Amino acid sequence: MRSPSAGRLAITGARLVDGDGDHGIGDVLLEDGVIQAIGEGAGAGAATVVDAGGALLTPAFLDLHAHLREPGQEVKEDLASGLAAAAAGGFGTVVSMANTTPTVDEPGLVAELVEKAARLPGARLRPGAALSHGLRGETLTDFAALQAAGAVMITDDGIPVANGRLMRSACEYAAELGLVVQTHSEDPSLRGDGVMHEGEVSQELGLPGNPDAAEAVMVFRDCEVARLTGARVHIAHVTSRRAMQVIEHFKALGAPVTCEVTPHHLTLTDAALRGFDPVFKVAPPLRSEADVAYLREALRRGTVDSIGTDHAPHTRAEKERDLMAAPFGLPNIEVAFPVLYTRLVRPGELELADLLRLLQDGPAAVMGWPRPRLQAGAPADLVLLDLETERAVDPARFASKARFSPWAGERLRGWPTLTVVEGAVAFRLEEGAG
Ligand SMILES: [Zn+2]
């Protein structure tokens, strides 16, 4: 089991912030996996004391979209490295994707993940399970049995559900069970063999493009199916203005649709592909500057429900192939908050409270989970954030097995220095970093 905190742990002198606001400087006292007391002087008498020195203490983040690669692809990542990486990024809870080998499409596989993760330090695992057997898009998995085994979400993420009738059946079934269906919304026929966003840059480079229409068309279908069935459909990794406008349209109609954007689609554009570096090859692709600007506007307007990382580790060797052959995806869970804090909050593009909402209350609301709060009796899942010290991104120090990053060498602020999960220290920054 996750080792229970040895006696009482106190974090003192922290700036306490949660979805209800900024509660000023105070202490928290943690015991038995929950917050026992909070406020000025609450930390007195604890066995272990961490002096926060005025750093920001807030509920640990929730990531509804991470690829932890177990079972079967442990060369890329495994539960231990993935959950440690999540904790290093300030995440206390992670929903794992089912596109593993074998696919997580049987209740026994879900149960195995739950059992194994419970014995590991790091973030808490809440597994997602496949929508179709083998992600083949042909037959539905047994959602009820998967849910009973511990699956919290149904998703074929990685592969779009091409068949509309199967998507409808999945949503009808999920609605009965109150399960969220997360979609990878890209029309496979329109996407074709595109390796990057279709636009000026793809033309200039002579690379096959994946048009924004491929995303917008499938988002439209998925929103219609949500409206038709009443299922809670969460659109993963929205990348384009066109797709976001479709979601806005359906949200205005009251359709039960929520959506996610990723740190990379908010901070990088297709221009990054000019160096032909496969680290920037992701699916759906990095889009144009105008798309990124629109996604940022959607964050400010509140259209976006959650930021999910789509942490997608691969081996270096795989990502060092040429651009056409390299796999899609990049690791980012350890740098997600610093990247977004440095690129969006510090320049004044996004309020800190909004960024926190997109990593805490937002994903909790998508899933129907309790909103994380700093209050007595709440789970002791917390992250301490140093908003001031600049540190360079050093992939060699990643807990993830995927030790490369599009932000390697960049100096960022907003690093997690301590992550607590169920009252136990899941991550502590070793100084000397940066
Ligand atoms: Zn994904």
Side-chain angles (χ1 to χ4, degrees):
M1 299 304 292
R2 176 175 285 115
S3 53
S5 42
R8 299 168 145 204
L9 169 67
I11 303 168
T12 61
R15 183 179 150 211
L16 306 171
V17 174
D18 66 12
D20 291 330
D22 189 331
H23 309 287
I25 298 286
D27 306 348
V28 292
L29 179 66
L30 313 175
E31 195 178 23
D32 299 328
V34 298
I35 300 175
Q36 291 287 345
I38 188 157
E40 214 178 321
T48 312
V49 177
V50 175
D51 179 3
L56 191 149
L57 186 69
T58 192
F61 308 140
L62 314 172
D63 186 3
L64 304 185
H65 190 159
H67 297 268
L68 303 185
R69 306 301 192 199
E70 191 170 336
Q73 300 165 345
E74 289 85 352
V75 64
K76 297 173 191 267
E77 192 81 290
D78 59 26
L79 285 183
S81 63
L83 295 174
F91 291 88
T93 300
V94 172
V95 177
S96 54
M97 297 295 104
N99 62 338
T100 48
T101 314
T103 305
V104 180
D105 57 6
E106 292 289 340
L109 291 168
V110 174
E112 260 175 54
L113 288 176
V114 171
E115 278 162 31
K116 186 160 183 194
R119 292 194 301 270
L120 293 169
R124 175 189 290 103
L125 179 75
R126 310 291 301 271
L131 181 151
S132 69
H133 288 109
L135 307 188
R136 285 186 298 272
E138 291 163 4
T139 53
L140 291 185
T141 56
D142 185 344
F143 295 3
L146 292 164
Q147 184 180 38
V152 297
M153 174 190 278
I154 297 297
T155 179
D156 270 3
D157 179 64
I159 301 198
V161 177
N163 185 308
R165 197 172 63 172
L166 189 79
M167 183 63 183
R168 179 183 182 169
S169 303
C171 285
E172 285 168 346
Y173 191 3
E176 273 174 37
L177 299 167
L179 276 168
V180 172
V181 177
Q182 176 169 274
T183 71
H184 181 130
S185 301
E186 289 188 288
D187 180 308
S189 56
L190 276 172
R191 181 176 71 176
D193 60 356
V195 295
M196 67 174 293
H197 171 63
E198 180 177 314
E200 279 169 34
V201 182
S202 69
Q203 277 168 24
E204 172 196 320
L205 302 180
L207 289 169
N210 172 354
D212 57 4
E215 182 177 49
V217 161
M218 200 60 127
V219 166
F220 197 100
R221 186 207 68 182
D222 290 336
C223 289
E224 280 290 6
V225 173
R227 191 187 58 78
L228 185 66
T229 60
R232 289 150 61 202
V233 170
H234 188 53
I235 313 277
H237 46 47
V238 180
T239 65
S240 65
R241 179 176 62 93
R242 297 293 302 128
M244 192 58 78
Q245 286 173 335
V246 171
I247 292 165
E248 285 163 350
H249 169 77
F250 279 91
K251 283 194 162 204
L253 296 177
V257 174
T258 54
C259 73
E260 163 194 277
V261 292
T262 75
H264 40 288
H265 291 113
L266 286 165
T267 55
L268 300 168
T269 69
D270 59 347
L273 272 302
R274 283 209 168 94
F276 293 91
D277 184 346
V279 74
F280 298 102
K281 182 180 175 185
V282 290
L286 302 175
R287 300 281 182 194
S288 70
E289 216 162 283
D291 287 304
V292 172
Y294 198 87
L295 295 183
R296 290 178 176 195
E297 256 177 71
L299 284 188
R300 288 191 288 271
R301 277 202 299 268
T303 312
V304 178
D305 297 274
S306 62
I307 288 173
T309 64
D310 198 4
H311 175 72
H314 294 289
T315 64
R316 263 195 107 96
E318 288 169 305
K319 279 301 236 183
E320 279 167 2
R321 290 184 199 152
D322 70 85
L323 191 64
M324 294 298 289
F328 294 97
L330 56 83
N332 63 2
I333 203 163
E334 288 168 78
V335 299
F337 185 84
V339 164
L340 294 166
Y341 178 73
T342 305
R343 295 290 195 80
L344 299 183
V345 176
R346 299 233 16 143
E349 277 214 54
L350 188 69
E351 295 292 328
L352 175 61
D354 287 327
L355 177 55
L356 293 175
R357 174 178 52 77
L358 288 157
L359 293 161
Q360 298 169 338
D361 287 15
V366 167
M367 298 302 290
W369 294 340
R371 305 204 175 201
R373 283 294 176 274
L374 296 180
Q375 61 190 27
D381 287 14
L382 305 167
V383 58
L384 193 61
L385 298 167
D386 174 0
L387 300 183
E388 296 308 323
T389 310
E390 218 178 52
R391 295 178 176 87
V393 175
D394 181 3
R397 301 175 68 107
F398 281 177
S400 170
K401 292 185 184 181
R403 299 206 168 101
F404 56 89
S405 171
W407 300 282
E410 287 198 29
R411 300 192 69 80
L412 303 174
R413 291 187 167 94
W415 292 93
T417 57
L418 175 75
T419 306
V420 176
V421 179
E422 283 179 41
V425 173
F427 166 75
R428 194 148 189 197
L429 183 73
E430 287 172 45
E431 270 314 335

